[in-house]
Amino acid sequence: MYRLIFILSLFIFIGHAGFTQTPASSMQWPDGKRMALSLSFDDGRPSQVDVGTPLFNRYDAKVTFYLVPSAVEQRLSLWKQATADGHEMGNHSLKHPCSGNFLWARDKALEEYTLEQMREELQETNQQIEQMLRVTPTTFAYPCGQTYVGRGEQTQSYVPVVATLFTAGRGWLDEAPNDAAYSDMAQLTGMSMDAKDFDEIKPILEAAAVQGLWLVLAGHDIGEEGAQTTRTDMLETLIQYAQDQANGIWLAPVGEVAAFVLEKR
């Protein structure tokens, strides 16, 4: 299902982009770069520090990890090292609340949340991450990419809560990169890179470079196979491509790019 959604999104994005027909963003990236690229990973899964950080450190590539504190505790020493290595640690909530339509989320369903409960949870998450890693998250990733609490006529967006607590909030399973000169920083798009080959990612990079966009890729586990696994061979090829000066890509964590964008605005 994720693969089908990704392919359809790719066709939509490239079709709308038209490569040369759509005006480019007015954002001017550092050092004459043509676009920005951020790699982000959700949940704080063990494979991210068991497999991922050694790979990223080999290339001196900095990425963003969106953490659930209970997961960090499973590899605390490695997460401390990843923080010291300069990777960004973001907030992904305390309980990972999603719609109760996911049966596994029924005891933490967004339909049963209030805005105040969500605010308290995100603040508590920041506090726990700070206690464990001595850094305070400045960016957030919406669990399941869902941005609401309540149901029916009582449904409310918690995007304003995220906007007051963080410099940026990232979505999930979105269809296109961000125009940093225009985007709502509390609702950045995040495109999936799980279970993808580099050949599926490259056209999005090429189109984003033509338009001067900010592509935020999102994944989960890091390894060889799996519907929610970003493949190590794809990541290695992607990083090499991004670090090739000829391609004009600024590879940086979400928080670093967000701070740059806000300063330029």
Side-chain angles (χ1 to χ4, degrees), residues 21-68:
Q21 298 176 7
T22 304
S25 171
S26 62
M27 180 59 60
Q28 300 296 310
W29 298 111
D31 303 320
K33 298 295 185 182
R34 302 171 65 202
M35 64 168 291
L37 171 65
S38 298
L39 307 182
S40 60
F41 301 86
D42 292 0
D43 304 337
R45 301 187 183 191
S47 65
Q48 294 170 7
V49 284
D50 291 347
V51 179
T53 51
L55 186 158
F56 303 136
N57 292 345
R58 189 159 66 247
Y59 288 94
D60 193 28
K62 308 305 180 188
V63 307
T64 299
F65 296 105
Y66 287 109
L67 306 178
V68 174

Side-chain angles (χ1 to χ4, degrees), residues 64-113:
T64 299
F65 296 105
Y66 287 109
L67 306 178
V68 174
S70 59
V72 173
E73 293 172 349
Q74 299 176 36
R75 295 287 194 281
L76 184 55
S77 62
L78 292 179
W79 282 112
K80 288 181 177 179
Q81 185 59 54
T83 305
D85 291 337
H87 300 292
E88 179 186 8
M89 302 299 152
N91 185 316
H92 199 44
S93 80
L94 200 63
K95 301 177 181 178
H96 201 286
C98 292
S99 170
N101 286 301
F102 295 111
L103 296 182
W104 52 263
R106 189 62 59 81
D107 63 345
K108 49 190 174 183
L110 287 169
E111 290 84 350
E112 311 305 326
Y113 266 69

Side-chain angles (χ1 to χ4, degrees), residues 138-204:
T138 61
T139 69
F140 173 76
Y142 295 91
C144 299
Q146 296 169 324
T147 62
Y148 68 90
V149 297
R151 60 170 70 230
E153 294 181 357
Q154 282 70 52
T155 301
Q156 294 177 284
S157 169
Y158 75 92
V159 171
V161 173
V162 170
T164 63
L165 296 177
F166 304 96
T167 59
R170 194 220 71 204
W172 165 242
L173 293 181
D174 293 303
E175 296 181 351
N178 301 276
D179 178 356
Y182 176 84
S183 294
D184 179 352
M185 297 297 286
Q187 298 186 82
L188 294 174
T189 61
M191 300 184 72
S192 174
M193 59 179 161
D194 282 340
K196 306 295 186 302
D197 295 322
F198 179 69
D199 288 344
E200 297 174 85
I201 302 292
K202 186 178 180 183
I204 304 175

